[in-house]
Amino acid sequence: MKKIRIAIDGPAGAGKSSVSRMVAGLLGYQYVDTGAIYRSLAYAMNDTVKLEDHAEIRQLLDNFDVSFRMKDDVNHIFLNGEDITPFIRTEKVSMLASSVSALPFVREALLEMQKRYARAGGVVMEGRDIGTVIIPDAELKIFLTASPEKRAARRMLELKAKGVEITMENLVEEIKRRDDQDLKRAIAPLKIAVDGVLVDNSDIDLFETAELIVKYAREREKLN
């Protein structure tokens, strides 16, 4: 059977990264976290380059190389050869990544990089516009979501494990604010593809979610 391209989009906290890693592992596919590319750019800005400093952002993009490598079942992100995996999941970096990804010249610069990952097939790519912009002809397009409260509860567990204290109320508001920002941005807003498959995992765990997506993938593989 031909290996297909799987796009997994959805809002923050839906479990896209964990589910995508599981799906890639179960299928023997490559996993590409496109959101990490924008997070890497946000990290590279390092409080010294502001969102309005377009010339400085362009300079960063001129020497910007992101690669992925699985190590001990963790998808490590390398920026110009440096492993930055531990530093790009903070709320501050997440919010800046969402903002900088809305800049047209940034999306244009990184579009080809993302398309290159998908060309060979046998790939699971996750982000917010994979099925609508990056690989709109992907054989399987999933829109993964859950209620804001469920997503906040999952995020709370992750943050507590890292020793970060935040109230559930604040986390729910943070997620709703991020959703609003992603849904309303002028360039490549978060939305389900016309032929996308909606998967709401509010009431199933992440492994069950991955198994469901693998089922859809196996069906698509038989058709290609």
Side-chain angles (χ1 to χ4, degrees):
M1 290 183 290
K2 178 185 175 183
K3 290 187 175 183
I4 64 172
R5 295 161 298 167
I6 302 172
I8 300 182
D9 294 310
K16 294 189 304 296
S17 296
S18 297
V19 168
S20 296
R21 281 196 300 271
M22 292 179 199
V23 171
L26 290 168
L27 292 171
Y29 282 15
Q30 181 185 12
Y31 163 56
V32 176
D33 176 3
T34 60
I37 298 173
Y38 291 100
R39 288 171 180 271
S40 299
L41 179 59
Y43 170 78
M45 292 166 69
N46 194 29
D47 289 333
T48 59
V49 178
K50 305 302 181 186
L51 195 60
E52 60 271 18
D53 297 335
H54 291 188
E56 287 83 353
I57 295 174
R58 289 179 190 275
Q59 282 189 332
L60 288 176
L61 289 168
D62 285 340
N63 299 288
F64 187 75
D65 179 66
V66 174
S67 58
F68 300 90
R69 191 184 315 156
M70 290 299 296
K71 195 163 67 172
D72 299 326
D73 292 325
V74 175
N75 192 46
H76 285 252
I77 297 92
F78 292 82
L79 173 61
N80 298 332
E82 176 193 356
D83 188 346
I84 61 171
T85 309
F87 312 117
I88 64 170
R89 299 294 175 186
T90 66
E91 293 303 314
K92 184 177 180 180
V93 168
S94 295
M95 292 301 293
L96 181 56
S98 180
S99 298
V100 77
S101 69
L103 296 175
F105 73 90
V106 170
R107 300 200 72 83
E108 182 180 352
L110 298 182
L111 181 63
E112 183 54 35
M113 177 188 292
Q114 295 173 77
K115 285 181 176 292
R116 190 169 68 242
Y117 290 125
R119 286 195 182 115
V123 65
V124 179
M125 296 185 70
E126 61 107 335
R128 283 174 174 73
D129 62 351
I130 310 304
T132 54
V133 176
I134 308 303
I135 43 173
D137 58 342
E139 290 81 3
L140 176 59
K141 285 167 267 189
I142 299 291
F143 190 88
L144 184 61
T145 190
S147 69
E149 292 74 20
K150 186 67 175 182
R151 289 186 277 141
R154 290 171 179 161
R155 182 64 176 149
M156 176 74 81
L157 291 175
E158 293 176 3
L159 292 174
K160 280 189 174 180
K162 296 176 182 177
V164 178
E165 293 296 329
I166 185 171
T167 67
M168 179 63 72
E169 182 181 5
N170 287 344
L171 200 49
V172 169
E173 286 305 311
E174 183 72 33
I175 283 176
K176 288 181 177 179
R177 188 159 55 246
R178 176 74 181 275
D179 286 352
D180 188 64
Q181 181 172 294
D182 287 340
L183 289 165
K184 292 181 178 177
R185 68 189 184 196
I187 305 297
L190 174 65
K191 62 181 179 179
I192 186 172
V194 174
D195 55 347
V197 178
L198 178 64
V199 174
D200 187 320
N201 66 1
S202 297
D203 299 316
I204 59 175
D205 66 28
L206 299 185
F207 186 72
E208 290 171 316
T209 304
E211 287 186 316
L212 178 60
I213 295 173
V214 167
K215 178 183 175 183
Y216 287 130
R218 293 301 189 197
E219 292 170 354
R220 298 300 196 283
E221 284 179 334
K222 292 175 183 177
L223 297 175
N224 289 276

